[in-house]
Amino acid sequence: MYTTEIKTQDQALCHLFFHCILKDGELADKELDIVADKLVTAGLNKELNFKDEMISYKDYRPTITHEQQYLQFLIEQINPVNELALYSWCAELLLSDNILTSEEELLLKQIGDVLGIDDNEQSVAKKIMIQRKVVETEKIF
């Protein structure tokens, strides 16, 4: 179903971000603010109605049976030039609630694999994002 819903690069990026923040099944106001900020920073607010895209995502989400294929589809649509930047934004969204569950960690690994980022680069990027989150929340370097 998602293959008929997502037709543009912007939609794919938006849905990837939604998938990251909703992986744990919860959507806190803070997380919604963070993803909205990312979507605006990426310039998606001019072409997309985020509310409509969220409704679309929530409608087809239960039909995602093969997450790896779903991620492959989204990333092919996005066709990123800066893979590590996209990976780090996904990591930041997954960490937005200050917790990285095992399911979220697996999702981040899958995103990195689909992006062609090797395990070492994924590890370093994830560590940077975790440490940035600690500095942000605990105010210690």
Side-chain angles (χ1 to χ4, degrees):
M1 179 174 176
Y2 58 83
T3 57
T4 58
E5 294 290 321
I6 302 169
K7 297 179 173 103
T8 69
Q9 182 183 38
D10 290 353
Q11 283 180 304
L13 185 59
C14 184
H15 288 246
L16 177 61
F17 288 174
F18 289 157
H19 194 66
C20 288
I21 63 165
L22 290 169
K23 182 61 179 176
D24 62 5
E26 303 289 324
L27 181 60
D29 287 341
K30 179 182 171 185
E31 288 179 303
L32 193 54
D33 291 343
I34 291 168
V35 78
D37 179 60
K38 292 284 176 247
L39 295 170
V40 170
T41 299
L44 303 183
N45 59 316
K46 296 174 185 144
E47 301 295 323
L48 297 177
N49 180 316
F50 299 147
K51 185 183 262 186
D52 290 345
E53 295 302 325
M54 178 62 85
I55 291 168
S56 172
Y57 173 78
K58 285 183 173 181
D59 284 347
Y60 74 71
R61 183 179 180 195
T63 69
I64 300 171
T65 55
H66 296 93
E67 191 169 49
Q68 189 80 17
Q69 289 175 345
Y70 175 66
L71 295 171
Q72 185 72 41
F73 171 78
L74 291 177
I75 291 171
E76 283 175 5
Q77 293 292 315
I78 296 167
N79 193 24
V81 176
N82 299 297
E83 297 85 2
L84 278 171
L86 179 57
Y87 179 84
S88 70
W89 277 22
C90 291
E92 186 174 350
L93 291 170
L94 288 164
L95 287 163
S96 62
D97 61 359
N98 299 328
I99 300 167
L100 190 63
T101 67
S102 58
E103 282 186 335
E104 291 171 325
E105 197 155 344
L106 177 60
L107 173 60
L108 191 57
K109 170 80 170 110
Q110 290 175 321
I111 291 168
D113 290 348
V114 172
L115 287 168
I117 301 169
D118 69 43
D119 289 345
N120 188 45
E121 288 177 314
Q122 286 185 46
S123 178
V124 170
K126 184 171 71 172
K127 187 174 182 178
I128 288 169
M129 297 312 297
I130 289 170
Q131 287 187 10
R132 282 185 53 205
K133 192 65 174 173
V134 168
V135 169
E136 179 185 306
T137 57
E138 302 294 324
K139 309 293 188 228
I140 54 173
F141 278 91

